[in-house]
Amino acid sequence: MRYLGGLRGAGTLRCGGQVLAPADYELDGYLVPPAGVAGSGEIRTAPEVLRKVFGRRDLELVTENGRSLSFRFSDKKLAAGDDAAHIDVTGGLPEAKNWRAA
């Protein structure tokens, strides 16, 4: 496994193609042979939005530059009032050659 770098910024959270709310994100990318690029990190948005979508599988984070990242939540439970959640990115990450290590 090789660290590729980080993606951080603001974007828009979508569920089932519907825009829900703005969200901030901090993600790290890794090259994991032979699977390819994997990513994980954290998203932050309003607690009521997180409660509404937690556990769903049809989620996307659209970044400021238009990249659409599909993801799922890593944890099984969300604590009341949390405005952040850990995620695993399941699609839309840049190829390994397009990352800059931090």
Side-chain angles (χ1 to χ4, degrees):
M1 178 167 37
R2 183 173 59 113
Y3 179 68
L4 297 173
L7 296 174
R8 287 153 180 67
T12 303
L13 183 62
R14 293 193 311 196
C15 182
Q18 180 182 7
V19 174
L20 293 180
D24 295 325
Y25 62 94
E26 293 186 27
L27 306 172
D28 291 310
Y30 300 90
L31 180 59
V32 185
V37 177
S40 64
E42 184 177 85
I43 61 167
R44 290 187 173 276
T45 191
E48 59 274 10
V49 173
L50 279 181
R51 276 194 315 274
K52 181 178 179 180
V53 300
F54 192 79
R56 300 272 313 245
R57 295 283 180 164
D58 54 348
L59 299 168
E60 292 176 293
L61 175 67
V62 180
T63 66
E64 293 170 316
N65 65 357
R67 182 173 293 279
S68 179
L69 305 173
S70 53
F71 69 92
R72 66 176 175 243
F73 291 100
S74 306
D75 298 323
K76 301 290 183 210
K77 293 182 182 179
L78 182 66
D82 276 356
D83 70 344
H86 192 269
I87 63 169
D88 295 316
V89 180
T90 58
L93 290 169
E95 294 180 27
K97 65 183 179 181
N98 295 326
W99 287 76
R100 282 189 333 206

